[in-house]
Amino acid sequence: ASSHFDDTNASLLDDLRSNANNIVTCEMETFHLLDLARCANKRYPIAASAAVICVASRISGEVLETSAIRQLESKGGRAVLEAVTKFDLDYLTS
């Protein structure tokens, strides 16, 4: 904790777990990416999606081994590339 920030999130993870059913991950950069796409001018729409690999658990402290991370990156990367290549950009303007 830093005295330079008014960080009132000390109980954030506990609050989320008690108020959100089956929460698995909480990642703010993805939220902002998706929110920017949502807010985009209808004349110039933005398509956005996200993928995540949960490498560490803040609750249990468990961390994936490097070999598991590499395997997930490879499989996940292929899945993302396949999905992106199949996305119909005309969908944005229809």
Side-chain angles (χ1 to χ4, degrees):
S2 169
S3 62
H4 300 289
F5 290 100
D6 182 16
D7 186 1
T8 57
N9 293 314
S11 66
L12 178 65
L13 293 176
D14 290 332
D15 293 345
L16 287 170
R17 284 200 325 257
S18 65
N19 292 308
N21 293 335
N22 301 320
I23 191 165
V24 176
T25 184
C26 179
E27 198 268 329
M28 83 179 161
E29 290 82 5
T30 301
F31 166 79
H32 286 293
L33 171 69
L34 299 175
D35 193 47
L36 284 171
R38 180 190 62 81
C39 295
N41 183 318
K42 301 298 181 211
R43 196 167 163 204
Y44 304 102
I46 296 172
S49 67
V52 65
I53 297 172
C54 292
V55 175
S57 170
R58 290 180 184 253
I59 297 164
S60 70
E62 292 179 89
V63 178
L64 287 179
E65 293 190 21
T66 302
S67 61
I69 294 170
R70 287 191 176 133
Q71 184 179 23
L72 289 169
E73 287 174 336
S74 180
K75 283 182 152 183
R78 283 190 183 99
V80 168
L81 286 173
E82 184 177 332
V84 167
T85 61
K86 291 181 178 180
F87 183 75
D88 181 9
L89 291 173
D90 291 333
Y91 170 79
L92 293 173
T93 57
S94 59

